């Protein structure tokens, strides 16, 4: 896990930004998906920026690598449920598929 984090943070800042995560492990994530990961799971700091630390990065990686687990499904559901309604609407699904 720490090696994957270091690959995403070659400058050794101690955090990962949205732009760093777009090409994680050879996968090309949409900008919308990554933005929603950060908005859902990472609180902005005093400068209103969102930095993904090692713990949040580990949560993301574990969910991504084991997408069929119930924990991963819950993790990604929270991202796709844009308005926090408790269900995915056509608008939510369309918004993400449009990006692909």
């Amino acid at each position: 896990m720490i090696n994957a984090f270091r690959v995403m943070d070659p400058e050794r800042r101690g955090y990962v930004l949205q732009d760093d995560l777009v090409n994680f492990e050879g996968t090309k994530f949409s900008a919308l998906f990554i933005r929603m990961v950060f908005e859902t799971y990472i609180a902005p700091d005093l400068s209103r920026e969102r930095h993904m630390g090692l713990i949040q990065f580990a949560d993301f990686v574990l969910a991504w690598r084991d997408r069929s687990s119930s924990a991963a499904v819950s993790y990604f559901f929270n991202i796709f449920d844009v308005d926090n309604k408790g269900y995915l609407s056509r608008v939510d699904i369309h918004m993400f598929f449009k990006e692909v």
Side-chain angles (χ1 to χ4, degrees):
M1 190 67 59
I2 191 73
N3 289 334
F5 186 76
R6 287 182 178 153
V7 168
M8 296 286 99
D9 179 27
E11 294 88 19
R12 304 283 193 250
R13 300 170 299 211
Y15 58 84
V16 175
L17 298 172
Q18 291 181 39
D19 291 342
D20 300 327
L21 205 57
V22 170
N23 292 310
F24 175 70
E25 291 188 340
T27 302
K28 178 75 172 159
F29 293 111
S30 74
L32 171 63
F33 175 76
I34 295 300
R35 189 181 86 226
M36 291 307 298
V37 168
F38 275 70
E39 286 182 15
T40 303
Y41 290 109
I42 300 162
D45 63 14
L46 295 176
S47 68
R48 297 194 171 256
E49 289 187 292
R50 296 176 193 265
H51 301 102
M52 181 182 275
L54 180 58
I55 300 299
Q56 294 95 355
F57 181 78
D59 290 342
F60 174 78
V61 170
L62 291 172
W64 178 250
R65 288 182 179 168
D66 190 15
R67 293 181 289 278
S68 63
S69 73
S70 60
V73 170
S74 177
Y75 182 91
F76 291 115
F77 180 86
N78 291 331
I79 293 166
F80 294 127
D81 181 14
V82 176
D83 299 325
N84 245 354
K85 301 172 298 300
Y87 62 91
L88 300 181
S89 68
R90 286 182 185 212
V91 173
D92 295 335
I93 294 168
H94 177 39
M95 191 168 73
F96 284 96
F97 275 106
K98 187 172 75 171
E99 287 281 311
V100 177

